Amino acid sequence: MKTKEEIFQAILKNKNTECHELEQGTAFAPSNIALCKYWGKRNQALNLPVTSSLSISLGNYGTTTKLKISNVNQHEIILNNKLVAQSSEFHQRIITFLNLIPMRSSHFRVDTTSNIPISAGFASSASGFAALVMALNDLFKWHLSPREMSILARLGSGSASRSIWQGFVEWHRGERKDGMDSYGEPISQTWPELCLGTHLINADIKNISSREAMQHTIETSPFYKEWPAVCSKDLENLKQAIADKNFDLLGQTAESNALAMHAMMLTAHPSILYSVPETLEAILNIWKLRQNGISLYFTQDAGPNLILIFLKEVTDVVKEYFPTLRIISPFEG
Ligand code: PMV
């Protein structure tokens, strides 16, 4: 079993793939931000990662998807109330994914709403593919387990495997060639005082996708060979920090993991730089606040924006320095 089609067939064996045109499937999936990043695939076709990773979901920030059979003779994709052009990459990616469903004879109408900036490094594809799989499960009443949904979502976008749950989620790298042991698993610990803040610097679509950037890093950065060991140590520290509610260990580890990912990209040939001057300005401000005794950390995905990590008790100070911050309490709804 080595292709996406075969994985879909195995998971959806004996499942119904027809429904009445009046039926609708609906689902919400949160966006997630990795504290230990997924950066590099050992199998590109199946989105199998080189390392395990760990994320935190963004509560109410994410994607809601409504799915039904289209009554026009083609797929219709609606994103934030606008019909998406068939020629766009967004449309193609979703249709390619839907075409993996075995024995499907109809066209879909996918109505998706996202309350996070698309492709600006806030992991919108993660919540998008997770919500799509959950909406399919709802529409066809497949009764898939969260683990099975995580595997299917991973085939759309690697990090989507973690967006099936709220809270902390570990995506196990797995060992198998078919990736049936590469899925997300929630970590039961909650942390109500933990806050995240989205510091939006630029919501424009990035000029190199994370998919391309990670492959380019593997192929050309001389430091990539160090990455699996870095991640394995970071993952261990993060799990310890979560278990002990050791905030500084969590923040330091997440920040240094993100910086290591961006450092590898800088050492790729040619270099990839997602940061803009405002990103560095914000990072220097975070470090200055830390020198002044405020426990504030950040993580950065494949984009110029930052996610700030802090405890509720310092919210007022953080807001003073980052007045436009959108604050998320992942464990408080
Ligand atoms: O799932 P993708 O292909 O969009 O890759 C996501 C990569 C990062 O967001 C940068 C890191 C991660 O683990 O989410």
Side-chain angles (χ1 to χ4, degrees):
M1 204 163 61
K2 288 205 178 62
T3 64
K4 286 184 179 181
E5 287 79 3
E6 286 166 332
I7 310 283
F8 262 79
Q9 272 161 21
I11 291 182
L12 301 181
K13 201 170 161 208
N14 303 327
K15 302 275 188 199
N16 160 52
T17 51
E18 303 297 330
C19 71
H20 191 274
E21 60 184 36
L22 290 178
E23 281 178 281
Q24 178 169 280
T26 308
F28 168 80
S31 183
N32 77 75
I33 286 292
L35 302 175
C36 178
K37 310 289 183 193
Y38 146 58
W39 200 250
K41 302 177 207 238
R42 67 175 198 280
N43 176 324
Q44 287 199 64
L46 300 181
N47 289 339
L48 294 179
V50 171
T51 65
S52 296
S53 56
L54 191 149
S55 62
I56 181 157
S57 290
L58 300 192
N60 299 329
Y61 286 97
T63 303
T64 302
T65 294
K66 293 181 192 155
L67 191 68
K68 55 186 195 180
I69 300 301
S70 168
N71 53 15
V72 293
N73 203 19
Q74 58 187 30
H75 293 297
E76 298 168 282
I77 314 281
I78 295 130
L79 172 63
N80 294 338
N81 302 316
K82 283 198 194 110
L83 192 65
V84 177
Q86 289 196 3
S87 55
S88 74
E89 202 196 315
F90 186 84
H91 193 281
Q92 302 293 333
R93 262 186 98 181
I94 292 181
I95 299 313
T96 307
F97 187 80
L98 291 172
N99 284 339
L100 293 168
I101 301 168
M103 297 166 358
R104 186 192 45 74
S105 53
S106 319
H107 291 99
F108 287 104
R109 178 183 166 91
V110 184
D111 186 348
T112 191
T113 322
S114 199
N115 57 6
I116 38 163
I118 304 293
S119 296
F122 287 146
S124 54
S125 66
S127 57
F129 278 105
L132 185 58
V133 169
M134 290 160 86
L136 282 163
N137 186 51
D138 188 43
L139 178 68
F140 293 119
K141 303 186 176 49
W142 286 335
H143 303 291
L144 296 177
S145 67
R147 186 173 286 186
E148 287 170 318
M149 289 196 275
S150 171
I151 293 175
L152 293 183
R154 188 198 76 228
L155 298 175
S157 170
S159 52
S161 65
R162 301 184 306 239
S163 267
I164 304 291
W165 300 269
Q166 291 285 1
F168 295 112
V169 180
E170 179 177 358
W171 171 13
H172 301 286
R173 168 196 192 275
E175 298 298 327
R176 288 174 56 150
K177 281 208 169 104
D178 62 7
M180 294 305 274
D181 56 354
S182 185
Y183 46 74
E185 187 174 20
I187 296 176
S188 56
Q189 178 90 12
T190 61
W191 197 335
E193 307 80 25
L194 192 70
C195 295
L196 299 173
T198 55
H199 181 52
L200 183 65
I201 289 165
N202 189 334
D204 290 347
I205 303 225
K206 56 203 178 195
N207 51 20
I208 172 161
S209 68
S210 49
R211 181 176 292 253
E212 283 170 76
M214 68 172 79
Q215 196 50 30
H216 179 68
T217 313
I218 288 204
E219 285 166 10
T220 67
S221 167
F223 297 104
Y224 191 79
K225 59 181 186 310
E226 307 298 336
W227 179 244
V230 168
C231 277
S232 148
K233 185 78 200 139
D234 287 348
L235 198 65
E236 202 182 298
N237 281 337
L238 284 168
K239 288 204 261 186
Q240 194 63 50
I242 293 166
D244 298 346
K245 288 205 179 170
N246 179 341
F247 178 70
D248 286 306
L249 181 61
L250 180 107
Q252 271 157 18
T253 310
E255 188 173 299
S256 106
N257 184 272
L259 286 170
M261 180 181 88
H262 286 274
M264 280 194 301
M265 285 191 257
L266 285 176
T267 57
H269 298 285
S271 298
I272 299 168
L273 178 62
Y274 280 115
S275 298
V276 294
E278 292 87 338
T279 314
L280 300 183
E281 199 184 312
I283 291 176
L284 292 173
N285 275 334
I286 292 166
W287 287 346
K288 201 184 283 168
L289 280 169
R290 266 221 309 275
Q291 274 167 6
N292 292 334
I294 307 296
S295 272
L296 171 65
Y297 299 87
F298 71 90
T299 184
Q300 180 183 3
D301 265 355
N305 308 305
L306 298 180
I307 299 267
L308 274 48
I309 311 167
F310 51 96
L311 291 177
K312 204 186 252 169
E313 65 203 30
V314 300
T315 306
D316 288 346
V317 188
V318 173
K319 267 180 26 199
E320 222 176 276
Y321 286 83
F322 294 92
T324 58
L325 207 66
R326 280 214 260 176
I327 298 179
I328 300 163
S329 299
F331 296 99
E332 295 212 313

